[in-house]
Amino acid sequence: MNLLAVERIKLFSTRSPWWCALITLALTIGFAAIIAGATPSDAQLTLPATQFGGSQFGIAVVMVLAALAVTTEYRFNTIRTTFQAVPHRSPALIAKAVVVALVALVIGEIAAFGALGLGMLMRPNDNLGLHTAQDWMNVAGLGPVFAISAVLAVALGILIRHSAGAIALLLIYYLAVEELVQLIPKIGAHIHEWMPFNVANKFLRGSAVVDGPAPSDSPLSPGWALAYFAGIAIVFLLVALGVAKKRDA
């Protein structure tokens, strides 16, 4: 608990978490407003469409927040003090991952329900609401996906240790690599089925989406999709912990 408290204090002693949180909320809720306003009056705004900003851009900003939570410590050498206080290193880094994941979870839930609330306010006659289990996953599921994405970003930050490199790699992979994989002849589509964020999209969106992000082609059920995504994050974190123990701070 002491380590969690320390990591919380360190995280919120810098400006980057606050700015990233505000940008995430602005993107998620702002895109909901844009989509609601752009939807013709004779058409119906769908619930997944209100979550477009969070699932497409909010995740990217949250991963930037998570990566900076680690790389700034290496940049300013404060990580050395942490490792002197916790020589085994892993507990401190796990505490950091937990704190960042919880912050990302809260940001995700506020963003998702804020976007839904604004959509309902702007389009009161479109029957927006949480009527089914899939509706709940579309909205409430954004928080867990944010949290797991943050753990992935923390792991990458531990491995790379440089802010620019970690952020560039995260954004290139998230925004481009998974889509480009589909262009590989013969095997690209099969590889894409198991790419982490494509699988996470299966948890959020299910098998079909109207007026929202493209549906996932993952063969997993939504529950197993979330478990698979979390498993990948845990594996990356374990690898990062092993590397952190073996090299100099």
Side-chain angles (χ1 to χ4, degrees), residues 28-30 32-33 50-52 54 110-120 128:
T28 304
I29 299 174
T50 66
Q51 304 301 308
F52 178 83
I110 294 173
F113 283 96
L116 174 62
L118 184 60
M120 295 173 68
L128 292 172

Side-chain angles (χ1 to χ4, degrees), residues 75-153:
R75 178 185 176 188
F76 295 108
N77 292 322
T78 56
I79 197 71
R80 294 182 179 179
T81 305
T82 299
F83 288 161
Q84 287 175 350
V86 187
H88 293 296
R89 299 188 180 185
S90 291
L93 295 174
I94 291 173
K96 183 181 293 293
V98 170
V99 169
V100 173
L102 290 175
V103 171
L105 176 68
V106 172
I107 294 173
E109 296 300 335
I110 294 173
F113 283 96
L116 174 62
L118 184 60
M120 295 173 68
L121 184 65
M122 295 180 66
R123 304 293 295 250
N125 299 321
D126 283 358
N127 196 31
L128 292 172
L130 304 174
H131 306 300
T132 66
Q134 185 59 58
D135 290 341
W136 278 98
M137 282 191 289
N138 284 341
V139 180
L142 193 61
V145 171
F146 271 31
I148 297 169
S149 301
V151 173
L152 272 172

Side-chain angles (χ1 to χ4, degrees), residues 47-56 134 137-139 142 199-209 212-216 222:
L47 187 145
T50 66
Q51 304 301 308
F52 178 83
S55 61
Q56 299 298 301
Q134 185 59 58
M137 282 191 289
N138 284 341
V139 180
L142 193 61
V199 174
N201 193 42
K202 180 60 175 287
F203 168 69
L204 285 175
R205 306 298 170 219
S207 299
V209 175
S216 169

Side-chain angles (χ1 to χ4, degrees), residues 178 192-202 215-218:
E178 289 202 2
H192 184 257
E193 290 178 355
W194 299 97
M195 301 296 276
F197 292 101
N198 176 56
V199 174
N201 193 42
K202 180 60 175 287
S216 169
D217 56 5
S218 171

